[in-house]
Amino acid sequence: MDVVNQLVAQGQFRVLKVPLGFIKILQWFFSILAFSTCGSYSGMLRMAVECKNRTESDLSIEVEFEYPFRLHHEYFDAPTCKGGNPERIFLVGDYSSSAECFVTVGVFSFLYATAALSVYVFLFDKYKENNKGPLVDLGVSAVFAFMWLVSSAAWAKGLSDVKVATDPDQVITLIGACDAEENRCREVHDPVMSGLNTSVAFGFINVVLWVGNLWFVFKETGIIAPFMRAPPAQEKPPTATTAPGAYEQDPYASNQGSYQPDYNQQGYSQDAEQGAPTSFSNQM
């Protein structure tokens, strides 16, 4: 218990709040949904064969199938409407390759997401040391993004083939007694494929998550850092234009302002004193 508490205390859980860690949680969750909905599927269809001789009819023929969808191994017994033992009929098709590829990618994605989350939380400093961790993470994430795309597309095609092969109308054509006009064959219950449809949807959601996560892992590598630096500030050369609202200076203002007449107050006062009596005497 002490070891667990120590690990929790040393963990950097804040990385789970940033896109790098949060998307990894989504990858971990949707990987589980993808491989579990496909790998745990089992379906059943039911048909009815009404022979001309009612005693030989079978109104509840059940055909079961499941992952990995090797349908050519699945069989059922149908009446021949001719007396005797019923005939054994096998379904047609083997779609295990696409289903198993899809589930395998999902399981390994789940394991890798679990390991990556552990590294993010407890060894994030080691992860970023010398950029080795982000580079490895980027390469592995790119591989998983490609594998999810391939496996999801293949499984979508395989699922459509499984639907055709397990369609009761298609299976009825395999029963020999249904070729006779006096016998009547019909479907009673279609297989439920909603779980398999959601598995395909979860597969393509994983494609979006793993492709989108490439950008955030790529930023951790530091490769783009030199290109994101702001350019150094450059001093703008002085211009002759003035700022809006400023008054334009008159080039002659400096010359006019520098000229100041020099008045000698002492001389002026003396002239005034001498000039006053003279003007008075003249008037007399």
Side-chain angles (χ1 to χ4, degrees), residues 89-159:
I89 302 173
F90 288 83
L91 298 180
V92 178
D94 183 5
Y95 309 101
S96 59
S97 58
S98 59
E100 289 176 341
C101 177
F102 182 80
V103 171
T104 301
V105 172
V107 171
F108 278 100
S109 296
F110 161 73
L111 295 176
Y112 178 74
T114 303
L117 285 173
S118 301
V119 172
Y120 291 170
V121 174
F122 302 109
L123 300 171
F124 195 67
D125 294 335
K126 294 286 185 181
Y127 170 81
K128 299 190 68 175
E129 186 177 352
N130 297 327
N131 288 334
K132 293 181 179 179
L135 288 174
V136 173
D137 195 8
L138 179 64
V140 176
S141 298
V143 171
F144 273 112
F146 176 75
M147 292 304 298
W148 270 116
L149 177 61
V150 174
S151 62
S152 298
W155 172 229
K157 176 61 170 62
L159 176 58

Side-chain angles (χ1 to χ4, degrees), residues 60-76:
S60 180
I61 302 175
E62 295 184 355
V63 184
E64 297 180 354
F65 60 98
E66 60 185 4
Y67 172 85
F69 307 104
R70 294 187 177 93
L71 299 183
H72 63 287
H73 291 169
E74 307 294 341
Y75 61 88
F76 61 95

Side-chain angles (χ1 to χ4, degrees), residues 276-284:
T278 305
S279 59
F280 179 77
S281 60
N282 292 332
Q283 292 177 0
M284 291 295 294

